[in-house]
């Protein structure tokens, strides 16, 4: 095997598994030979044939969809539409969203899968932009840790809410810890913001119990499958899922189901069908059982879909089917589907650009190792990348930059609130040292080992005492957290009202419900639909890394000293050993530090030392009329007795010039200022001295780097150039400088 292939084999993408299509196993994304032909026969208001299967042969999924999942009033019209004509409705801005929804309500699972499979990637983006339920995009976070540490959970929940997540999902490495996690995340979320919905994803009965007690406010781990065999393996039926859906809704708990490609394949029950067709059955069933939304896009099986051709396209098509069925789309992007940073970003980017009700149904707001769902496609390591992507494209990915200075106080209040609530309720007693550790921790590995029984005992006490959200609110009030207590109570009051049970509902930070009803998607082509308002766009744009001239001016002023002083006009030299170092106009006035972090005075000292090492006589002049390093160097060369000059810009770019060369020519050039070292500047001085003596030295070469130098430094360059421009005086001649 040749070196090129060996090198390619070492890249991260080759850690991923890629499968040959195998329809018999269900390893096929969009089309399988065993996918049924779309069909629907209705006799006297009763479905007697569904997608090639007669009523007598219906499985449980067919039977439930036939009874509850189709609008028979439009079915004949919808099923008669040619597939291509139907697909064009999804992307035609002139066709309103409500018309697409009306027709899709009458389409069978096979028909909808066939239609959506025709949409190419760019068309899926258009369809998603048009068809999502809620106008305003949002995002969901995972908040977990290896230890189920309540203080860290609370601090991380507050942090996630500060970054803009409107749903927080926790889970546990130990099932019995669930009540404690629910309380900690609920309290932490309330510290940061009103209206943040909280879930604890565990076994269905315990999850429902936590919801009934008000300790969580939504649920989504109610799983649907596309084949009856897999349903049976899970000891479930469509009717049991419908009952569970109703149980949540009857107590004011928001709920969505979870499905997604790959589940049936992993469980050996795909029945030879394509992933898209099986997911189309799940989405139709979700509508039939009364769920307001669906979490799909592969979820735990995302890497299975991603292993086959068109698999990532299929994941997005799943989300579009949910939207077309008029349901909330929680669009996956949670389970890590690839070790390749390129592939996992490419999987999410179209959805970020198009917008979804929840772009991620589990952005890991904590570090990868702390995510008890398994690493997400996006984790705390990627948070700054996400914020930059929003800014790059001018789109709303649901997040914002939290004030770094305010996060410490926010995390401390969250951790202290949990400490005080747990102490007040007799659940546990945490020390001030443990609080401070949680405040500062980047993850659970930063915490000292504690008593492993504290959390299980607290969780058992919560459950045994029958503690509810009212008890938590009272404890918050009694321990001095009045605002947080009001936020917990406000969420309970909203459960009585039930407005947040509307399709695709979230609360904003003023506790307003944004949903299909109150904030419907009105996209109808360019100039319509959701665009961030000026305040929201300012939030998106204001990432903490952005810098301007004023920032650089402060930095440069802080590095200034009085080592470089002017001594009048520069004269022409006559000494043949003389080499002149010319500096740009801002050096010693506005600019004191180069892009490499070196002080310009230290750079000058290295150049002087190199020249003196060669027995030359150095002189420094400031060239006031230009910032062009070529002209600075040429001006220096023309002033030098030897005819050799060094040009140095404030940002650190440097060259050796000769008086008889054109301005753009030079003898040696350092063009990559950020990576220059003192040793390299000294070498440039040495070589300039050798040129002055008539020798031909081995040229000093630019140090090579494969880093994104332009991305890292160009904004600083622009600011530095602006500072230099302020000092340019075309009428002023060069002036002599002295370095002390």
């Amino acid at each position: 095997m040749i070196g090129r292939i060996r090198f390619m084999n070492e890249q991260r993408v080759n850690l991923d598994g890629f499968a040959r299509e195998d329809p018999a196993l269900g390893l096929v994304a969009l089309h399988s030979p065993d996918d049924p032909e779309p069909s629907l026969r209705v006799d006297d208001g009763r479905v007697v044939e569904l997608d090639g299967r007669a009523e007598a042969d219906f499985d449980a999924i067919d039977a439930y969809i036939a009874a509850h999942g189709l609008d028979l009033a439009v079915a004949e019209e919808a099923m008669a539409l040619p597939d291509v004509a139907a697909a064009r409705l999804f992307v035609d801005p002139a066709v309103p969203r409500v018309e697409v929804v009306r027709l899709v309500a009458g389409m069978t699972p096979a028909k909808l899968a066939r239609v959506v499979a025709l949409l190419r990637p760019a068309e899926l983006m258009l369809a998603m932009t048009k068809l999502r339920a809620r106008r305003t995009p949002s995002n969901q976070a995972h908040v977990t840790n290896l230890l189920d540490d309540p203080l860290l959970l609370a601090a991380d929940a507050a942090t996630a809410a500060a970054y803009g997540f409107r749903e927080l999902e926790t889970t546990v490495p130990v099932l019995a810890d669930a009540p404690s996690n629910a309380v900690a995340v609920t309290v932490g979320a309330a510290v940061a913001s009103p209206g943040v919905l909280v879930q604890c994803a565990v076994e269905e009965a315990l999850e429902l119990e936590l919801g009934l007690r008000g300790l969580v406010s939504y649920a989504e781990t109610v799983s649907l499958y596309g084949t009856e065999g897999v349903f049976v393996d899970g000891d479930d039926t469509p009717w049991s899922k419908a009952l569970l859906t109703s149980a949540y809704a009857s107590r004011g708990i928001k709920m969505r189901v979870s499905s997604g490609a790959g589940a049936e394949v992993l469980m050996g029950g795909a029945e030879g069908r394509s992933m898209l067709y099986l997911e189309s059955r799940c989405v139709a069933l979700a509508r039939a059982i009364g769920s307001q939304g669906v979490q799909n896009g592969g979820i735990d099986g995302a890497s299975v879909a991603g292993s086959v051709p068109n698999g990532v396209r299929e994941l997005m098509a799943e989300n579009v089917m949910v939207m077309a069925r008029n349901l909330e789309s929680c669009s996956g992007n949670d389970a890590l589907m690839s070790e390749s940073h390129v592939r996992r970003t490419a999987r999410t980017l179209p959805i970020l650009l198009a917008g979804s009700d929840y772009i991620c149904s589990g952005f890991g707001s904590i570090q990868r190792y702390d995510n008890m769902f398994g690493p997400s496609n996006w984790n705390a390591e990627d948070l700054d990348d996400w914020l930059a992507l929003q800014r790059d494209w001018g789109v709303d990915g649901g997040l914002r930059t939290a004030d770094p200075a305010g996060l410490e106080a926010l995390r401390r209040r969250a951790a202290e609130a949990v400490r005080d609530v747990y102490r007040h309720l007799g659940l546990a007693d945490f020390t001030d040292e443990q609080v401070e550790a949680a405040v500062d921790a980047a993850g659970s590995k930063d915490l000292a080992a504690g008593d492993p029984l504290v959390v299980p005992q607290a969780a058992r006490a919560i459950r045994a005492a029958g503690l509810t959200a009212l008890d938590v609110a009272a404890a918050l009030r009694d321990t001095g957290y009045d605002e947080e207590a009001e936020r917990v109570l406000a969420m309970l009051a909203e459960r009585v009202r039930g407005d947040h049970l509307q399709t695709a509902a979230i609360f904003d930070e003023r506790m307003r419900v944004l949903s299909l009803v109150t904030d419907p998607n009105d996209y109808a082509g360019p100039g319509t639909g959701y665009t961030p308002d000026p305040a929201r766009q300012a939030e998106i744009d204001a990432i903490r890394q952005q810098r301007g001239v004023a920032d650089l001016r402060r930095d440069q002023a802080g590095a200034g000293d009085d080592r470089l002083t002017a001594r009048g006009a520069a004269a022409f030299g006559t000494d043949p050993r003389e080499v002149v170092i010319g500096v740009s106009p801002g050096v010693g006035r506005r600019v004191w530090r180069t892009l490499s972090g070196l002080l310009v005075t230290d750079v000058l000292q290295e150049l002087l030392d190199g020249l003196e090492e060669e027995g030359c006589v150095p002189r420094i002049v400031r060239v006031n009329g230009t910032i062009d390093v070529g002209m600075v160097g040429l001006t220096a060369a023309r002033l030098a007795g030897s005819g050799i000059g060094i040009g140095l810009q404030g940002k650190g770019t440097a060259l050796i010039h000769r008086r008889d060369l054109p301005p753009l020519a030079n003898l040696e050039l350092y063009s990559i200022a950020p990576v220059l070292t003192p040793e390299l500047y000294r070498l440039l001085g040495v070589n300039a001295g050798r040129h002055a003596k008539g020798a031909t030295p081995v040229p000093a070469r630019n140090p090579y780097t494969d880093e994104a130098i332009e991305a890292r430094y160009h904004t600083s360059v622009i600011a530095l150039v602006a500072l230099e421009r302020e000092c340019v005086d075309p009428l002023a001649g060069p002036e002599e400088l002295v370095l002390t």
Side-chain angles (χ1 to χ4, degrees):
M1 185 181 297
I2 63 172
R4 176 59 66 90
I5 300 301
R6 293 196 304 272
F7 165 76
M8 291 171 65
N9 285 344
E10 293 170 358
Q11 306 312 305
R12 294 181 66 86
V13 70
N14 292 302
L15 297 172
D16 296 347
F18 296 94
R20 292 188 176 90
E21 282 193 344
D22 190 334
L25 295 177
L27 282 170
V28 58
L30 302 177
H31 305 284
S32 171
D34 289 333
D35 285 348
E37 288 294 314
S39 69
L40 182 68
R41 284 199 306 114
V42 181
D43 185 4
D44 195 25
R46 183 184 183 91
V47 175
V48 296
E49 181 184 308
L50 179 67
D51 290 338
R53 187 176 285 174
E55 183 179 15
D57 299 322
F58 283 174
D59 65 11
I61 301 171
D62 293 323
Y64 207 98
I65 292 172
H68 305 290
L70 299 172
D71 184 350
L72 299 184
V74 299
E76 183 177 359
E77 177 187 1
M79 294 298 291
L81 273 173
D83 294 341
V84 172
R88 288 175 178 171
L89 299 178
F90 281 53
V91 298
D92 186 347
V95 178
R97 177 185 185 275
V98 292
E99 176 63 7
V100 177
V101 167
R102 182 185 74 85
L103 290 167
V104 169
M107 292 183 185
T108 65
K111 176 70 172 180
L112 181 57
R114 285 265 288 263
V115 169
V116 173
L118 292 172
L119 299 175
R120 290 168 291 196
E123 292 160 347
L124 286 169
M125 291 176 65
L126 281 172
M128 182 171 282
T129 302
K130 171 180 170 178
L131 293 178
R132 73 170 183 267
R134 189 178 62 246
R135 189 172 186 268
T136 306
S138 191
N139 224 323
Q140 178 200 104
H142 288 165
V143 180
T144 64
N145 64 64
L146 277 166
L147 306 175
D148 287 337
D149 184 275
L151 303 179
L152 184 59
L153 285 169
D156 286 342
T159 300
Y163 274 97
F165 292 102
R166 301 309 296 164
E167 282 189 359
L168 306 183
E169 182 182 22
T170 190
T171 192
V172 290
V174 178
L175 176 61
D177 292 350
S180 175
N181 282 30
V183 170
V185 174
T186 293
V187 170
V191 167
S193 171
V196 177
L197 297 166
V198 172
Q199 178 202 6
C200 186
V202 288
E203 181 270 330
E204 288 177 349
L206 178 54
E207 188 169 344
L208 180 59
E209 178 189 323
L210 296 173
L212 295 176
R213 294 186 183 191
L215 300 178
V216 296
S217 43
Y218 82 97
E220 71 181 10
T221 49
V222 178
S223 300
L224 301 184
Y225 304 100
T227 62
E228 185 179 67
V230 176
F231 251 122
V232 171
D233 284 347
D235 196 26
D236 270 315
T237 70
W239 287 269
S240 65
K241 296 299 187 183
L243 178 63
L244 190 56
T245 300
S246 300
Y248 279 112
S250 70
R251 296 300 182 268
I253 305 167
K254 179 180 176 179
M255 175 267 185
R256 68 179 70 93
V257 298
S258 292
S259 52
E264 298 84 4
V265 181
L266 287 167
M267 298 176 74
E271 298 178 357
R273 315 292 191 170
S274 70
M275 297 180 195
L276 186 63
Y277 167 68
L278 292 180
E279 184 56 21
S280 188
R281 297 188 88 200
C282 293
V283 173
L285 183 58
R287 183 74 191 175
I289 67 174
S291 174
Q292 65 83 37
V294 178
Q295 174 187 224
N296 72 358
I299 313 304
D300 291 337
S303 58
V304 177
S307 73
V308 299
N310 290 303
V312 173
R313 176 176 167 183
E314 190 278 338
L315 296 177
M316 189 171 185
E318 295 181 20
N319 305 146
V320 170
M321 291 193 298
V322 171
M323 297 171 179
R325 292 277 186 206
N326 210 28
L327 300 171
E328 174 189 73
S329 176
C330 216
S331 299
N333 296 300
D334 54 350
L336 183 64
M337 59 80 61
S338 173
E339 286 292 347
S340 162
H341 299 315
V342 175
R343 289 190 76 214
R344 66 184 179 90
T345 302
R347 184 263 183 275
T348 303
L349 185 59
I351 298 171
L352 171 62
L353 298 181
S356 178
D357 299 313
Y358 288 94
I359 297 166
C360 297
S361 50
F363 187 121
S365 68
I366 67 285
Q367 291 192 58
R368 283 175 61 157
Y369 73 77
D370 260 336
N371 197 329
M372 295 299 96
F373 293 97
S376 289
N377 210 44
W378 297 83
N379 301 278
E381 294 88 338
D382 310 305
L383 191 51
D384 280 336
D385 294 270
W386 186 275
L387 296 168
L389 282 173
Q390 289 184 149
R391 187 178 188 267
D392 291 343
W393 289 94
V395 297
D396 191 340
L399 303 187
R400 65 186 174 212
T401 297
D403 176 20
L407 274 182
E408 180 179 353
L410 185 73
R411 289 176 65 86
R412 178 169 289 105
R413 185 167 179 86
E416 288 176 346
V418 164
R419 177 197 63 190
D420 295 346
V421 165
Y422 274 50
R423 181 179 294 160
H424 185 77
L425 295 174
L427 303 176
D429 196 2
F430 297 105
T431 66
D432 290 345
E433 290 76 17
Q434 288 174 302
V435 168
E436 289 305 311
V439 170
D440 185 63
S444 63
K445 291 181 181 179
D446 296 333
L447 303 181
D451 184 348
L453 296 179
V454 167
V455 175
Q457 289 170 352
R460 281 197 296 272
I462 292 168
R463 204 169 182 189
L467 291 178
T468 69
L470 281 173
D471 299 306
V472 174
L476 284 166
R477 181 202 60 204
D478 293 346
T479 53
Y481 299 91
D482 292 348
E483 186 175 24
E484 290 81 359
E486 288 300 320
R487 289 172 177 176
V488 173
L489 289 172
M491 187 66 76
L492 294 176
E494 290 298 332
R495 287 176 56 166
V496 177
R497 292 189 187 93
D499 288 349
H500 70 298
L501 301 183
Q502 297 165 7
T503 298
I506 59 171
F507 292 105
D508 68 9
E509 291 181 325
R510 289 184 282 172
M511 288 300 288
R512 297 178 303 179
V513 172
L514 304 181
S515 69
L516 173 64
V517 176
T518 65
D519 184 36
N521 183 13
D522 57 356
Y523 179 80
T528 67
Y530 177 78
T531 300
D533 63 26
R536 175 63 182 133
Q537 191 63 57
E539 272 192 333
I540 291 168
D541 295 346
I543 59 175
R544 62 189 174 87
Q545 301 91 338
Q546 66 178 358
R547 291 168 57 80
V549 174
D551 301 299
L552 188 69
R553 192 188 305 278
R554 284 192 297 271
D555 293 347
Q556 289 289 342
D561 59 34
D562 58 358
R563 292 179 60 201
L564 202 59
T565 55
R567 293 289 177 89
F572 288 95
T574 57
D575 189 332
R577 298 175 302 151
E578 182 187 65
V579 176
V580 172
I581 303 169
V583 299
S584 53
V587 171
R589 290 178 174 144
R590 300 278 193 276
V591 180
W592 295 93
R593 191 179 296 280
T594 69
L595 291 177
S596 67
L598 297 172
L599 294 175
V600 290
T601 48
D602 291 340
V603 170
L604 287 169
Q605 190 62 61
E606 292 297 335
L607 294 172
L608 293 171
D609 290 347
L611 287 167
E612 291 172 355
E613 184 179 318
E614 290 297 314
C616 291
V617 178
R619 182 160 58 107
I620 305 172
V621 303
R622 183 156 50 210
V623 179
N624 290 306
T626 180
I627 65 170
D628 179 81
V629 69
M631 282 304 302
V632 169
L634 182 58
T635 301
R638 288 172 176 171
L639 290 170
S642 68
I644 298 296
I646 296 174
L648 175 67
Q649 280 181 322
K651 63 188 177 77
T653 305
L655 53 72
I656 302 173
H657 223 306
R658 195 175 67 211
R659 68 160 64 105
D660 61 335
L661 294 176
L664 296 181
N666 58 72
L667 298 175
E668 298 180 26
L669 171 66
Y670 285 156
S671 60
I672 309 178
V675 295
L676 295 176
T677 63
E679 293 76 17
L680 288 170
Y681 283 116
R682 187 183 187 93
L683 175 60
L684 196 71
V686 167
N687 279 7
R690 291 174 179 173
H691 282 292
K693 294 187 295 184
T696 306
V698 176
R701 297 182 183 275
N702 269 313
Y704 177 75
T705 176
D706 61 356
E707 297 175 357
I709 292 294
E710 291 88 350
R712 187 178 302 181
Y713 292 103
H714 266 180
T715 54
S716 297
V717 169
I718 292 166
L720 274 170
V721 168
L723 294 183
E724 292 258 39
R725 287 270 179 214
E726 294 174 0
C727 300
V728 172
D729 183 353
L731 301 180
E735 58 185 330
E736 200 89 23
L737 298 179
V738 175
L739 179 65
T740 57

